[in-house]
Amino acid sequence: MPGALSDERDVREAYAAHAGELYGFAVRSLGDSGLAEEAVQETFLRAWRAGERFDPQIGSLRTWLFAILRNVVIDLSRARAARPRVGEGGIEPSVEPIDEALLGWQMEEAMRRIGEQHRRILVETYYRARPYAEVAAELGIPEGTVKSRVYYGLRALRVALEEIGYDG
Amino acid sequence: MTVERCREWRESLGTYALGHLPAEERAALEAHLEGCADCREELQSLAGVARLMPLADPERFGAAPEPPPLLGNRITATIGAERRVARRRQRRRFGLAWSGAAAAVAATAVLAIFVLGDSGGGSESPAQRVAFHSLPAGMQIDASLEPRSFGTQIEVYVSGVRSGTLCRVFLRGTHGTRLSAGSFRYRWDGDTHAMLSSGLDLSNTRAIGIRVGNHTFVAPVNADLRTDQDRRT
């Protein structure tokens, strides 16, 4: 079947294309790089075993892999629930429900993808809740430009979200 | 209203979507939105992005963690191992089925070549499964040959041989050239598998041979060439 992960070569190609994002989400959700590795490995194994069920007409390979990873993360989280542990290396495990965690990761990934100028404006005005006038003065730009950058920053985020499969 | 005429309003839409627009500007923008479907549509799209923003943690906007460099290799190695186990099981089933058929035609030395389709999960050139016949009672040998970039990968399955017997495998090429594919020692009372490799391309391979102790068994690899009987010395 076209697009199915039927052999090691297909898996290698899928890994090269998607492993970085899958691993990033797994680390964010599990807060443990070892568990995240395990999650990504299990995701590709399950995908390979179920390769014939993948239908590119229904959704992209990336969406399918994320759906598998979501289940793997839930399984690993349940297995770990009996023995809670602190995230390693300063990475705190996500405590929100898995779907919110996925949306949160998508937004963070989108933020990484947009230009520094737009990201900074959104961080200062939204996440740090600083007055536009103060941000404008600090950056040496008119307040209207801050407003304009907020608008184009949100547009850039929308494009980045679409690139990474957000279809909300 | 054209997008160009809406431009000033548009640049306020982001601030509005985040809930930051001062009251007096907000009232004016809302009046414009009442009469402008394009701007309403744009606002809806931006509001969808703005709704996700509280879910993100700005502390995580830095570089994303990278997967360990060897993780990909580990995954493909695990999958390769699973495939080999599956093939082994398949071959055992095949071996049992063939034993029944062989009993029925025991007097005739017949050699069959089975060209596999994609049932093993591979999408590359087809592997060839070769069964050796006219073997001593109780003994079974078969082999699976798969084209690889380096040449040919060979998996040999042997049963019914005395433990400790040295088995040497070779491939024969188009002009009778003979290349060793390595050796292994049969160790167990049941059966054994060996993974071997040869630099000879499968397409140029005409036969596979295995010397088990003092006996050599040869089977053709491509059906349209050479003899259809294996040779035993």
Side-chain angles (χ1 to χ4, degrees):
Chain A
M1 175 182 288
L5 300 183
S6 57
D7 63 17
E8 288 99 317
R9 187 182 53 192
D10 292 341
V11 173
R12 271 196 295 274
E13 285 174 5
Y15 182 89
H18 305 297
E21 290 180 1
L22 293 166
Y23 181 74
F25 173 58
V27 170
R28 187 196 193 279
S29 303
L30 295 162
D32 181 314
S33 58
L35 272 182
E37 261 185 64
E38 193 180 329
V40 172
Q41 174 159 336
E42 181 63 18
T43 297
F44 279 99
L45 288 177
R46 289 187 192 183
W48 172 70
R49 289 175 193 139
E52 288 180 2
R53 293 208 296 273
F54 170 64
D55 183 353
Q57 302 293 323
I58 294 174
S60 69
L61 178 60
R62 185 186 177 287
T63 303
W64 190 56
L65 290 170
F66 264 93
I68 296 172
L69 176 60
R70 177 186 176 282
N71 292 334
V72 172
V73 166
I74 290 171
D75 292 347
L76 287 173
S77 300
R78 282 179 183 153
R80 191 178 55 179
R83 44 183 175 84
R85 48 195 292 196
V86 177
E88 60 172 36
I91 307 166
E92 287 303 317
S94 171
V95 291
E96 73 259 60
I98 188 76
D99 293 325
E100 275 192 22
L102 181 56
L103 289 172
W105 174 82
Q106 285 178 318
M107 178 52 86
E108 288 155 13
E109 179 63 21
M111 278 286 186
R112 283 191 281 269
R113 292 181 181 214
I114 65 174
E116 166 61 25
Q117 208 175 55
H118 290 142
R119 184 169 52 247
R120 180 159 184 202
I121 284 290
L122 291 170
V123 167
E124 299 297 338
T125 59
Y126 182 80
Y127 291 102
R128 295 189 182 149
R130 293 179 64 195
Y132 283 37
E134 187 181 307
V135 175
E138 183 177 287
L139 296 177
I141 56 177
E143 200 174 325
T145 303
V146 173
K147 204 194 287 183
S148 166
R149 285 185 189 172
V150 166
Y151 170 64
Y152 288 106
L154 287 179
R155 282 173 60 106
L157 275 179
R158 185 177 62 199
V159 171
L161 284 167
E162 284 167 5
E163 279 173 6
I164 58 178
Y166 174 69
D167 56 2
Chain B
M1 195 168 283
T2 66
V3 170
E4 190 54 39
R5 287 183 62 190
C6 290
R7 186 172 173 176
E8 272 189 41
W9 295 113
R10 288 273 165 121
E11 293 192 353
S12 297
L13 286 179
T15 308
Y16 182 83
L18 295 181
H20 294 162
L21 204 61
E24 64 279 12
E25 289 182 51
R26 196 164 62 232
L29 178 61
E30 284 170 352
H32 169 76
L33 287 169
E34 281 289 320
C36 183
D38 287 343
C39 285
R40 283 202 302 274
E41 193 180 328
E42 177 76 345
L43 175 63
Q44 196 177 3
S45 168
L46 297 179
V49 177
R51 272 195 297 275
L52 294 182
M53 290 182 72
L55 300 175
D57 176 357
E59 297 300 317
R60 291 175 162 139
F61 292 167
E66 291 288 328
L70 294 179
L71 179 57
N73 290 343
R74 206 162 66 231
I75 291 169
T76 47
T78 305
I79 287 172
E82 268 198 33
R83 279 185 68 174
R84 283 193 290 279
V85 169
R87 281 183 184 163
R88 212 169 287 156
R89 287 184 184 139
Q90 191 180 29
R91 188 165 47 242
R92 279 181 180 152
R93 284 198 297 274
F94 163 79
L96 287 172
W98 193 85
S99 302
V105 292
T108 311
V110 179
L111 188 147
I113 297 170
F114 299 86
V115 178
L116 298 179
D118 221 6
S119 59
S123 65
E124 296 173 0
S125 308
Q128 287 195 30
R129 181 173 292 154
V130 180
F132 291 76
H133 302 292
S134 299
L135 298 170
M139 183 175 168
Q140 184 185 340
I141 304 174
D142 59 25
S144 174
L145 291 87
E146 216 177 309
R148 288 299 171 98
S149 55
F150 58 76
T152 303
Q153 180 174 288
I154 305 147
E155 193 171 0
V156 178
Y157 169 83
V158 177
S159 70
V161 179
R162 188 165 49 84
S163 183
T165 302
L166 181 66
C167 303
R168 282 172 289 193
V169 179
F170 61 88
L171 296 184
R172 187 161 284 154
T174 42
H175 303 295
T177 49
R178 177 173 154 156
L179 267 83
S180 169
S183 61
F184 62 95
R185 211 172 268 282
Y186 180 86
R187 283 289 182 198
W188 316 108
D189 293 333
D191 51 32
T192 196
H193 283 89
M195 290 295 289
L196 304 156
S197 58
S198 168
L200 188 61
D201 286 341
L202 182 53
S203 58
N204 292 326
T205 301
R206 296 294 170 260
I208 178 172
I210 176 165
R211 185 165 178 82
V212 182
N214 295 323
H215 301 282
T216 300
F217 306 97
V218 179
V221 168
N222 289 292
D224 55 335
L225 295 156
R226 281 183 61 100
T227 178
D228 64 350
Q229 290 197 346
D230 55 344
R231 204 168 54 211
R232 182 175 166 191
T233 59

